[in-house]
Amino acid sequence: MLAPVPRPPGSLAARCSRTLLAPRSRLSLLVLLLLTAASLVVLYEPQRLLASGWPPRAGGAGAVLLFALAYGVCTAAFVPRPVLNLAAGALFGSAAGLTGAVAGTVLGAGISFTLGRYLGQDALRPLLRGRLLTAADGQLSRHGFRSMLAIRLFPGVPFAAANYCAAVSRMKYVPFLLATGIGTVPNTAAYVVAGAQAGSPGSPAFLFSAGFIVLSGLCAAVVAWRKRHGLRSPAPVRDRRPEPEPVAGAG
């Protein structure tokens, strides 16, 4: 019986494998997945299914778990989280809705982080050459939990952008997911309570949650405006002329 002839190292299969696993090929796949997900969201609007098309008889822990899974997938596909949080409160109430929303948030963040880490990190890290990009990468890599916790507490930072920025950095999984779970609780709770109390807009719980949402949004807008104004203002020019040397014997 004839033994199989080994393929040379430069065979077509080896070249195709190297091409498909190359950093640019994986980055192209990531871009294709994100564009496909965004297109599906625009065409089918899955957030409406979660908000109004949920089976009316679905209840209990199993329904909350199913909602959290759907929430995570939708979040990774760029469905706005405030809409999902309002739907969680309207469907399950404050306590169970908050549990499902936070679990779905962590799941969606984990999906995005995994996609960015394995499909985009190798191709994007060599592009981190600017001063701001290098500083952000160093902050997330060295102080991952603290930095991500601050990002999650600040409502002005886009959820998906923070996920992929963390994935490109050297941040670890556990600090990223833990900071996401803790940092998103206040803002998520406000939307969930507002959704749960939507039938009684004059209740103290609804007014408090609505006020928190408005106040946090205004704070985010003010901070973003100040940061943008600071980036536009020119840096002060230092006078680099050498100081005159003291005259010997003076004084």
Side-chain angles (χ1 to χ4, degrees), residues 143-208:
H143 310 288
F145 176 81
R146 183 176 63 189
S147 302
M148 186 53 57
L149 182 63
I151 290 174
R152 297 308 191 192
L153 289 172
F154 183 69
V157 180
F159 184 72
N163 295 336
Y164 289 106
C165 287
V168 174
S169 71
R170 294 187 175 90
M171 189 176 183
K172 303 299 182 183
Y173 265 94
V174 174
F176 171 76
L177 296 178
L178 188 61
T180 298
I182 297 175
T184 55
V185 168
N187 193 262
T188 302
Y191 279 96
V192 170
V193 172
Q197 301 294 327
S200 54
S203 62
F206 181 87
L207 294 177
F208 179 80

Side-chain angles (χ1 to χ4, degrees), residues 18-29:
R18 287 195 297 267
T19 302
L20 292 176
L21 296 178
R24 291 186 179 181
S25 299
R26 286 181 286 165
L27 179 61
S28 301
L29 177 59

Side-chain angles (χ1 to χ4, degrees), residues 25-48:
S25 299
R26 286 181 286 165
L27 179 61
S28 301
L29 177 59
L30 176 61
V31 173
L32 179 61
L33 289 175
L34 297 181
L35 290 176
T36 303
S39 301
L40 291 176
V41 169
V42 173
L43 291 175
Y44 296 102
E45 298 182 349
Q47 64 272 20
R48 291 193 176 187

